[in-house]
Amino acid sequence: MAGTPSGLGDVITDKRQLVAYLDSGSKPADQWSIGTEHEKFVFHRDSLAAPAYDGPSGIRALLEALAADYGWTPVLEGDHPIALTRGKASVSLEPGGQFELSGAPVATLHETEAELLNHLQEVTAIGDKLGLGFLGAGFNPLATRAQVPWMPKGRYAIMKAYMPKVGSLGLDMMLRTCTVQVNLDYGSEADMVKKFRVSLALQPLATALFAASPFTEGRPNGFQSFRSNIWTDTDADRCGILPFVFEDGMGFERYVDYMLDVPMYFVYRDGKYIDASGQNFRDFIDGKLPALPGERAHVGDFIDHLSTVFPEVRLKKFLEMRGADAGPTKRLLALPALWVGLLYDTTALDAAWDLVKGWTPEDHATLRTSVPARGLATPFKGQTVREVALTMLTIAREGLRNRRRFNGHGEDETHTLDALFAIAASGRSFADDLLEAFHGPWQGDVRKIYDERAF
């Protein structure tokens, strides 16, 4: 969700400018990269409470200490540091202070692993100084909505006011969820469409494999991935499985048309967010936006608008995989591994398309609605999601093997999927492990998760 406003760019006079913007993301395969993003909950080690922005051990102090000790450059909104940059990587804040690393684009999963471990080492070292800990899970297992402080970002204030108008769980999405995702490239419009279709169809399988949000306010909530369920009642205008992606005529222009019909959140001008929630971007192009009468939309405004939709796969100048709960370190690395294996090798992509091309709109809808609660045990086309996931993982492993990207020890990238193969083989998700601990050694005390499962 996090992002910084884009530059204004040219005034939009023709929809073709927006199509060209998406098309400009096309690049040859030897330039494809891997950009991994992951969020984690921050908590005070003494009270387990989510820290406020201000205060001696608040989120601002965490950002400032990272900048001072590890060479990150603060990004300010007013006088508030709200993000950090270092090279092509950034650290940003979700609305409830969830801490996100947006990794630099890298060529191999070995580099992703090194970046991930280095980041966790840095934040843990700062956390030790400030009395803060970090938890990888899909949903805050303990805090109520009211107990989570809001971060001082202008776009979040607009979303906070708008969310209750369009769904019942949008504020929970903002304050109490964490995800891990990966941004991947495409070579052409046709390549984008094929990757979009494959990844969108298989996203519920990732949800099942990465399920890690079985608790709400200290008790089991009946879901494997409550985080995933939250998106089903956040905002129907900007979430979901996008059936048009599987229809004839899908391409950059079709996605632009979708975006132009999604209600706006804001316009960013002169360092401020202007509330345009619920208004129409087409009116903005015509200079008829009620929030800014007479002001014409620029390409940069459209780029900002692209960041305000939340389907299971999102298109910018790359494709974002958005279906997974955050979790432990090895499973964070497994998320980019899964999608790189499926999408960055031609043979694997063809095999993955063969797996899903016969699925109907009803099949997609069934998976999306059933998997958050039933996870790997979800029945599907005479099998279970667990069995289909094993097939998917086998394809992904061959895709990684075919890439032939080796580390200094001569290992290829296939080991990065080991954690997922273990889950699919056993049929036990991280959520299942957490529930077993809750009913067993934790004796019903979900606070134990902060001792045993924190980074």
Side-chain angles (χ1 to χ4, degrees):
M1 183 193 308
T4 55
S6 303
L8 288 178
D10 294 334
V11 172
I12 300 171
T13 58
D14 192 306
K15 184 173 67 173
R16 285 176 293 184
Q17 293 168 263
L18 309 181
V19 174
Y21 171 77
L22 295 178
D23 191 24
S24 70
S26 302
K27 57 186 66 171
D30 62 1
Q31 295 180 21
W32 292 351
S33 63
I34 305 164
T36 304
E37 304 181 13
H38 87 271
E39 301 160 1
K40 49 211 163 291
F41 295 107
V42 188
F43 60 92
H44 289 292
R45 292 180 181 174
D46 55 357
S47 66
L48 306 183
Y53 179 77
D54 290 311
S57 58
I59 296 296
R60 179 174 189 152
L62 175 58
L63 288 170
E64 291 176 341
L66 273 172
D69 288 6
Y70 294 106
W72 293 86
T73 300
V75 176
L76 301 179
E77 185 173 304
D79 62 353
H80 294 117
I82 48 88
L84 304 170
T85 61
R86 188 175 65 192
K88 294 184 178 181
S90 65
V91 169
S92 56
L93 305 178
E94 294 300 299
Q98 305 96 311
F99 218 65
E100 178 178 3
L101 171 70
S102 296
V106 298
T108 72
L109 292 165
H110 307 302
E111 294 169 272
T112 301
E113 183 174 23
E115 177 187 59
L116 171 64
L117 294 175
N118 181 68
H119 171 73
L120 293 177
Q121 182 180 20
E122 289 182 1
V123 297
T124 301
I126 299 299
D128 289 344
K129 294 181 180 180
L130 299 179
L132 298 174
F134 303 88
L135 177 68
F139 190 78
N140 190 310
L142 192 60
T144 66
R145 186 190 291 178
Q147 290 171 333
V148 181
W150 285 86
M151 297 297 105
K153 296 180 67 171
R155 65 183 288 166
Y156 293 162
I158 292 170
M159 294 170 66
K160 177 183 179 181
Y162 183 70
M163 283 292 183
K165 301 175 183 178
V166 291
S168 68
L169 298 176
L171 297 181
D172 293 307
M173 177 276 291
M174 295 180 72
L175 292 171
R176 297 200 283 176
T177 64
C178 280
T179 187
V180 53
Q181 64 187 56
V182 65
N183 305 324
L184 297 176
D185 292 312
Y186 45 81
S188 64
E189 183 172 48
D191 187 48
M192 179 278 292
V193 171
K194 190 170 186 178
K195 287 174 175 173
F196 206 149
R197 288 172 173 168
V198 165
S199 58
L200 194 55
L202 292 174
Q203 214 63 220
L205 278 69
T207 299
L209 287 167
F210 287 86
S213 45
F215 303 120
T216 301
E217 297 172 15
R219 303 296 302 172
N221 55 33
F223 287 88
Q224 287 275 303
S225 176
F226 188 58
R227 182 206 62 84
S228 182
N229 179 70
I230 281 173
W231 286 111
T232 66
D233 193 9
T234 290
D235 184 345
D237 289 327
R238 66 187 76 243
C239 304
I241 55 175
L242 307 185
F244 69 83
V245 170
F246 300 99
E247 297 172 358
D248 292 342
M250 172 57 187
F252 294 130
E253 184 174 5
R254 182 66 186 85
Y255 196 83
V256 167
D257 287 337
Y258 158 70
M259 286 301 313
L260 293 179
D261 289 330
V262 172
M264 296 175 64
Y265 278 155
F266 62 82
V267 179
Y268 188 77
R269 288 290 186 276
D270 300 322
K272 296 181 180 179
Y273 288 92
I274 299 166
D275 190 346
S277 55
Q279 298 177 29
N280 188 285
F281 202 92
R282 294 181 192 273
D283 290 340
F284 195 13
I285 292 175
D286 293 335
K288 300 176 181 178
L289 191 71
L292 279 176
E295 178 76 11
R296 300 290 297 273
H298 295 245
V299 173
D301 295 313
F302 182 74
I303 296 171
D304 290 340
H305 188 48
L306 286 170
S307 72
T308 68
V309 298
F310 311 114
E312 294 296 280
V313 177
R314 180 163 66 181
L315 175 63
K316 294 181 178 176
K317 289 172 66 174
F318 44 82
L319 288 165
E320 297 180 352
M321 311 294 120
R322 299 176 50 83
D325 288 0
T329 305
K330 287 185 178 179
R331 299 183 198 188
L332 295 178
L333 179 62
L335 187 280
L338 171 64
W339 296 114
V340 168
L342 290 171
L343 304 184
Y344 271 11
D345 174 69
T346 301
T347 301
L349 181 59
D350 288 343
W353 175 238
D354 286 341
L355 178 64
V356 306
K357 65 183 179 183
W359 295 2
T360 66
E362 293 75 22
D363 290 333
H364 297 304
T366 295
L367 285 172
R368 181 67 189 92
T369 57
S370 300
V371 162
R374 303 192 65 178
L376 293 166
T378 304
F380 184 66
K381 301 180 80 68
Q383 302 181 81
T384 64
V385 163
R386 182 187 76 84
E387 293 168 298
V388 184
L390 276 169
T391 301
M392 176 184 71
L393 289 171
T394 300
I395 294 170
R397 182 169 57 190
E398 288 306 302
L400 294 181
R401 182 171 289 121
N402 291 341
R403 276 168 51 82
R404 297 182 58 79
R405 302 297 179 92
F406 301 98
N407 62 17
H409 303 290
E411 300 170 320
D412 66 14
E413 298 171 316
T414 55
H415 73 279
T416 55
L417 288 175
D418 289 350
L420 296 187
F421 270 103
I423 291 168
S426 67
R428 291 182 55 84
S429 67
F430 187 46
D432 289 319
D433 292 342
L434 293 173
L435 287 166
E436 181 179 62
F438 177 84
H439 292 295
W442 294 357
Q443 297 182 318
D445 184 1
V446 81
R447 292 176 297 178
K448 298 293 186 182
I449 193 174
Y450 293 91
D451 296 328
E452 297 184 17
R453 308 290 180 169
F455 292 118

